[in-house]
Amino acid sequence: MAITKDMLISEILRHRSDAAEILMRFGMGCVGCPSSQMESLEQAAMVHGLDLEKVLVALNEGLDD
């Protein structure tokens, strides 16, 4: 299952064990805070000024659909 921009951060963290590390590498250091758990990846990327497409590529790298 591919990770999409509409998935909640909490879903992504459950789906991919190294997601927190990947997100923090992009500068999203608050992946564990309660408010981030209800944000979509798109919302979180916008708040942190990140390139959503680059984050998506990194999160989907190596995943089998």
Side-chain angles (χ1 to χ4, degrees), residues 20-31 44-45 47-50 55:
E21 178 184 328
I22 293 168
L23 293 170
M24 286 190 280
R25 192 171 65 220
F26 278 93
M28 197 178 297
C30 62
V31 293
V47 166
H48 292 281
L50 305 177
V55 176

Side-chain angles (χ1 to χ4, degrees), residues 10-27:
S10 58
E11 291 177 282
I12 295 168
L13 293 173
R14 284 193 306 272
H15 182 67
R16 183 164 183 150
S17 61
D18 60 346
E21 178 184 328
I22 293 168
L23 293 170
M24 286 190 280
R25 192 171 65 220
F26 278 93

Side-chain angles (χ1 to χ4, degrees), residues 1-17 19 23 28 31 35-46 52 55-56 59-60 63-65:
M1 177 174 89
I3 294 171
T4 67
K5 67 180 184 175
D6 300 315
M7 291 177 76
L8 298 179
I9 297 296
S10 58
E11 291 177 282
I12 295 168
L13 293 173
R14 284 193 306 272
H15 182 67
R16 183 164 183 150
S17 61
L23 293 170
M28 197 178 297
V31 293
S35 62
S36 76
Q37 301 301 299
M38 297 307 296
E39 277 184 328
S40 70
L41 180 60
E42 183 176 37
Q43 292 168 324
M46 185 176 61
L52 177 60
V55 176
L56 278 168
L59 287 169
N60 282 301
L63 287 182
D64 293 326
D65 288 322

